Amino acid sequence: MTPKLSITQRRRFCAQGHLLNPIVSIGKAGLTKSVLEEIDRGLLSHELIKIKVHLDNRDIRKSMLETICQNLNAVPIQQIGKIFVIYRQKPEDTDPKKTEKINTPEKKREPRRTKRSYQN
């Protein structure tokens, strides 16, 4: 099930997508397992990515975009010709080490001793 976006979110992502360069290219071999893994890695690190497809058939490109979004739980933002822009929100980090670090207050360092502090 793909998450839903509001119209304002979709417009904002569409505007951000214009500035992006494609990070994944899909060639004549089509949508393979390694291509899906690369798209997944891109979504994990960037949330919003642009994909370029080097196929001429419109129906195949449309079905390819639907397959990508269904398999990776992503939202299609825009499709212009052979370019796809897709979005998936980053998952929350559930690493206990990171949460401990965030929740614990930092200890203040003791002031550095100077020459004068030794004289007193």
Side-chain angles (χ1 to χ4, degrees), residues 56-105:
D56 292 328
N57 192 339
R58 287 183 189 176
D59 297 329
I60 293 174
R61 288 193 309 254
K62 185 177 179 180
S63 66
M64 204 177 282
L65 178 63
E66 292 172 359
T67 304
I68 290 169
C69 292
Q70 285 176 357
N71 288 344
L72 300 177
N73 198 23
V75 179
I77 300 297
Q78 188 176 35
Q79 178 185 1
I80 298 177
K82 297 180 180 183
I83 302 291
F84 304 152
V85 179
I86 61 173
Y87 170 79
R88 182 178 71 189
Q89 188 174 5
K90 285 186 181 179
E92 294 287 329
D93 287 337
T94 58
D95 188 18
K97 292 179 183 175
K98 290 182 181 180
T99 54
E100 285 178 15
K101 196 174 204 180
I102 294 171
N103 294 336
T104 57

Side-chain angles (χ1 to χ4, degrees), residues 12-76:
R12 184 171 41 100
F13 290 138
C14 187
Q16 290 174 357
H18 284 295
L19 304 174
L20 298 176
N21 291 324
I23 63 168
V24 178
S25 292
I26 301 174
K28 293 181 180 180
L31 196 60
T32 62
K33 182 180 177 184
S34 60
V35 172
L36 279 173
E37 290 172 357
E38 188 64 31
I39 293 170
D40 187 37
R41 278 192 292 270
L43 287 169
L44 280 174
S45 61
H46 299 291
E47 285 188 346
L48 183 71
I49 63 169
K50 189 182 273 190
I51 303 167
K52 181 158 181 137
V53 181
H54 296 283
L55 296 173
D56 292 328
N57 192 339
R58 287 183 189 176
D59 297 329
I60 293 174
R61 288 193 309 254
K62 185 177 179 180
S63 66
M64 204 177 282
L65 178 63
E66 292 172 359
T67 304
I68 290 169
C69 292
Q70 285 176 357
N71 288 344
L72 300 177
N73 198 23
V75 179

